mmCIF file of all heavy atoms in Angstrom:
data_model
loop_
_atom_site.group_PDB
_atom_site.id
_atom_site.type_symbol
_atom_site.label_atom_id
_atom_site.label_comp_id
_atom_site.label_asym_id
_atom_site.label_seq_id
_atom_site.Cartn_x
_atom_site.Cartn_y
_atom_site.Cartn_z
ATOM 1 N N ARG A 391 59.795 142.296 75.477
ATOM 2 C CA ARG A 391 59.260 141.016 75.249
ATOM 3 C C ARG A 391 60.159 140.009 76.029
ATOM 4 O O ARG A 391 61.195 140.329 76.550
ATOM 5 C CB ARG A 391 59.355 140.630 73.699
ATOM 6 C CG ARG A 391 60.816 140.625 73.171
ATOM 7 C CD ARG A 391 60.905 140.256 71.763
ATOM 8 N NE ARG A 391 62.344 140.255 71.409
ATOM 9 C CZ ARG A 391 62.762 139.947 70.179
ATOM 10 N NH1 ARG A 391 61.924 139.525 69.258
ATOM 11 N NH2 ARG A 391 64.058 140.003 69.842
ATOM 12 N N GLY A 392 59.712 138.774 76.076
ATOM 13 C CA GLY A 392 60.420 137.794 76.793
ATOM 14 C C GLY A 392 60.454 137.901 78.290
ATOM 15 O O GLY A 392 59.751 138.753 78.775
ATOM 16 N N SER A 393 61.156 137.162 78.925
ATOM 17 C CA SER A 393 61.264 137.226 80.418
ATOM 18 C C SER A 393 62.651 137.069 80.799
ATOM 19 O O SER A 393 63.490 136.440 80.135
ATOM 20 C CB SER A 393 60.344 136.108 81.018
ATOM 21 O OG SER A 393 60.788 134.843 80.499
ATOM 22 N N PRO A 394 62.987 137.529 82.030
ATOM 23 C CA PRO A 394 64.371 137.301 82.497
ATOM 24 C C PRO A 394 64.770 135.836 82.642
ATOM 25 O O PRO A 394 63.831 134.976 82.838
ATOM 26 C CB PRO A 394 64.407 138.133 83.836
ATOM 27 C CG PRO A 394 63.134 138.923 83.857
ATOM 28 C CD PRO A 394 62.151 138.254 82.923
ATOM 29 N N VAL A 395 66.015 135.590 82.693
ATOM 30 C CA VAL A 395 66.504 134.294 82.935
ATOM 31 C C VAL A 395 66.094 133.778 84.261
ATOM 32 O O VAL A 395 66.330 134.480 85.249
ATOM 33 C CB VAL A 395 68.054 134.175 82.733
ATOM 34 C CG1 VAL A 395 68.572 132.766 82.982
ATOM 35 C CG2 VAL A 395 68.528 134.698 81.352
ATOM 36 N N ALA A 396 65.536 132.540 84.296
ATOM 37 C CA ALA A 396 65.057 132.073 85.639
ATOM 38 C C ALA A 396 66.238 131.612 86.465
ATOM 39 O O ALA A 396 67.362 131.263 85.945
ATOM 40 C CB ALA A 396 64.175 130.802 85.362
ATOM 41 N N MET A 397 66.126 131.734 87.736
ATOM 42 C CA MET A 397 67.169 131.496 88.712
ATOM 43 C C MET A 397 67.603 130.016 88.626
ATOM 44 O O MET A 397 68.776 129.738 88.709
ATOM 45 C CB MET A 397 66.762 131.760 90.129
ATOM 46 C CG MET A 397 66.391 133.251 90.445
ATOM 47 S SD MET A 397 67.945 134.314 90.023
ATOM 48 C CE MET A 397 69.063 133.722 91.229
ATOM 49 N N THR A 398 66.710 129.122 88.378
ATOM 50 C CA THR A 398 67.012 127.683 88.213
ATOM 51 C C THR A 398 67.969 127.477 87.026
ATOM 52 O O THR A 398 68.905 126.778 87.106
ATOM 53 C CB THR A 398 65.707 126.809 88.052
ATOM 54 O OG1 THR A 398 64.898 127.105 89.153
ATOM 55 C CG2 THR A 398 66.137 125.366 87.933
ATOM 56 N N SER A 399 67.680 128.158 85.923
ATOM 57 C CA SER A 399 68.433 128.078 84.748
ATOM 58 C C SER A 399 69.848 128.604 84.982
ATOM 59 O O SER A 399 70.827 128.102 84.486
ATOM 60 C CB SER A 399 67.773 128.738 83.594
ATOM 61 O OG SER A 399 66.532 128.165 83.268
ATOM 62 N N LEU A 400 69.963 129.703 85.746
ATOM 63 C CA LEU A 400 71.211 130.369 86.067
ATOM 64 C C LEU A 400 72.100 129.392 86.903
ATOM 65 O O LEU A 400 73.318 129.251 86.625
ATOM 66 C CB LEU A 400 71.054 131.635 86.759
ATOM 67 C CG LEU A 400 70.643 132.799 85.941
ATOM 68 C CD1 LEU A 400 70.344 134.044 86.762
ATOM 69 C CD2 LEU A 400 71.638 133.119 84.848
ATOM 70 N N VAL A 401 71.528 128.672 87.851
ATOM 71 C CA VAL A 401 72.186 127.702 88.679
ATOM 72 C C VAL A 401 72.719 126.584 87.825
ATOM 73 O O VAL A 401 73.854 126.162 87.956
ATOM 74 C CB VAL A 401 71.314 127.271 89.879
ATOM 75 C CG1 VAL A 401 71.991 126.001 90.539
ATOM 76 C CG2 VAL A 401 71.065 128.321 90.760
ATOM 77 N N ALA A 402 71.802 126.119 86.965
ATOM 78 C CA ALA A 402 72.253 124.998 86.038
ATOM 79 C C ALA A 402 73.392 125.419 85.179
ATOM 80 O O ALA A 402 74.273 124.671 84.859
ATOM 81 C CB ALA A 402 71.013 124.515 85.203
ATOM 82 N N LEU A 403 73.296 126.645 84.671
ATOM 83 C CA LEU A 403 74.357 127.127 83.803
ATOM 84 C C LEU A 403 75.682 127.266 84.566
ATOM 85 O O LEU A 403 76.699 126.895 83.989
ATOM 86 C CB LEU A 403 73.977 128.607 83.291
ATOM 87 C CG LEU A 403 75.049 129.316 82.473
ATOM 88 C CD1 LEU A 403 75.381 128.558 81.222
ATOM 89 C CD2 LEU A 403 74.640 130.713 82.237
ATOM 90 N N LEU A 404 75.616 127.732 85.754
ATOM 91 C CA LEU A 404 76.799 127.861 86.614
ATOM 92 C C LEU A 404 77.431 126.534 86.835
ATOM 93 O O LEU A 404 78.688 126.367 86.679
ATOM 94 C CB LEU A 404 76.492 128.451 87.982
ATOM 95 C CG LEU A 404 77.597 128.509 88.950
ATOM 96 C CD1 LEU A 404 78.802 129.378 88.562
ATOM 97 C CD2 LEU A 404 77.094 129.098 90.296
ATOM 98 N N VAL A 405 76.696 125.487 87.204
ATOM 99 C CA VAL A 405 77.196 124.166 87.518
ATOM 100 C C VAL A 405 77.816 123.492 86.231
ATOM 101 O O VAL A 405 78.829 122.810 86.206
ATOM 102 C CB VAL A 405 76.086 123.183 88.017
ATOM 103 C CG1 VAL A 405 76.609 121.752 88.113
ATOM 104 C CG2 VAL A 405 75.665 123.729 89.419
ATOM 105 N N CYS A 406 77.193 123.868 85.063
ATOM 106 C CA CYS A 406 77.743 123.310 83.789
ATOM 107 C C CYS A 406 78.977 124.090 83.392
ATOM 108 O O CYS A 406 79.779 123.511 82.608
ATOM 109 C CB CYS A 406 76.664 123.362 82.663
ATOM 110 S SG CYS A 406 75.362 122.078 82.914
ATOM 111 N N LEU A 407 79.066 125.332 83.765
ATOM 112 C CA LEU A 407 80.318 126.125 83.344
ATOM 113 C C LEU A 407 81.557 125.703 84.206
ATOM 114 O O LEU A 407 82.595 125.618 83.603
ATOM 115 C CB LEU A 407 79.976 127.650 83.496
ATOM 116 C CG LEU A 407 79.144 128.323 82.426
ATOM 117 C CD1 LEU A 407 78.835 129.717 82.871
ATOM 118 C CD2 LEU A 407 79.841 128.257 81.128
ATOM 119 N N ILE A 408 81.307 125.603 85.511
ATOM 120 C CA ILE A 408 82.490 125.220 86.344
ATOM 121 C C ILE A 408 82.963 123.816 86.124
ATOM 122 O O ILE A 408 82.175 122.948 85.784
ATOM 123 C CB ILE A 408 82.170 125.535 87.824
ATOM 124 C CG1 ILE A 408 81.068 124.566 88.324
ATOM 125 C CG2 ILE A 408 81.885 126.979 88.113
ATOM 126 C CD1 ILE A 408 80.679 124.742 89.818
ATOM 127 N N PRO A 409 84.262 123.541 86.308
ATOM 128 C CA PRO A 409 84.756 122.201 86.000
ATOM 129 C C PRO A 409 84.457 121.170 87.053
ATOM 130 O O PRO A 409 85.303 120.786 87.876
ATOM 131 C CB PRO A 409 86.296 122.435 85.829
ATOM 132 C CG PRO A 409 86.581 123.638 86.696
ATOM 133 C CD PRO A 409 85.316 124.485 86.634
ATOM 134 N N THR A 410 83.182 120.753 87.151
ATOM 135 C CA THR A 410 82.735 119.822 88.081
ATOM 136 C C THR A 410 83.314 118.463 88.021
ATOM 137 O O THR A 410 83.499 117.801 89.078
ATOM 138 C CB THR A 410 81.174 119.748 88.208
ATOM 139 O OG1 THR A 410 80.702 119.478 86.833
ATOM 140 C CG2 THR A 410 80.606 121.036 88.648
ATOM 141 N N THR A 411 83.535 118.037 86.857
ATOM 142 C CA THR A 411 84.076 116.702 86.645
ATOM 143 C C THR A 411 85.389 116.488 87.388
ATOM 144 O O THR A 411 85.558 115.587 88.145
ATOM 145 C CB THR A 411 84.252 116.280 85.095
ATOM 146 O OG1 THR A 411 82.951 116.547 84.442
ATOM 147 C CG2 THR A 411 84.671 114.807 84.913
ATOM 148 N N ILE A 412 86.407 117.321 87.068
ATOM 149 C CA ILE A 412 87.710 117.143 87.613
ATOM 150 C C ILE A 412 87.670 117.592 89.084
ATOM 151 O O ILE A 412 88.408 117.089 89.929
ATOM 152 C CB ILE A 412 88.834 117.917 86.801
ATOM 153 C CG1 ILE A 412 90.264 117.553 87.458
ATOM 154 C CG2 ILE A 412 88.599 119.404 86.818
ATOM 155 C CD1 ILE A 412 90.573 116.135 87.342
ATOM 156 N N GLY A 413 86.798 118.607 89.402
ATOM 157 C CA GLY A 413 86.704 118.972 90.722
ATOM 158 C C GLY A 413 86.161 117.929 91.658
ATOM 159 O O GLY A 413 86.602 117.796 92.803
ATOM 160 N N GLY A 414 85.265 117.098 91.143
ATOM 161 C CA GLY A 414 84.714 115.992 91.950
ATOM 162 C C GLY A 414 85.660 114.823 92.071
ATOM 163 O O GLY A 414 85.623 114.050 92.979
ATOM 164 N N LEU A 415 86.604 114.655 91.052
ATOM 165 C CA LEU A 415 87.481 113.452 90.992
ATOM 166 C C LEU A 415 88.893 113.791 91.397
ATOM 167 O O LEU A 415 89.695 112.838 91.597
ATOM 168 C CB LEU A 415 87.455 112.880 89.578
ATOM 169 C CG LEU A 415 86.060 112.371 89.042
ATOM 170 C CD1 LEU A 415 86.312 111.936 87.639
ATOM 171 C CD2 LEU A 415 85.605 111.186 89.883
#
Side-chain angles (χ1 to χ4, degrees):
R391 62 178 183 179
S393 58
V395 179
M397 295 302 294
T398 303
S399 299
L400 285 177
V401 173
L403 176 63
L404 173 62
V405 172
C406 289
L407 283 174
I408 62 178
T410 49
T411 305
I412 187 61
L415 297 175

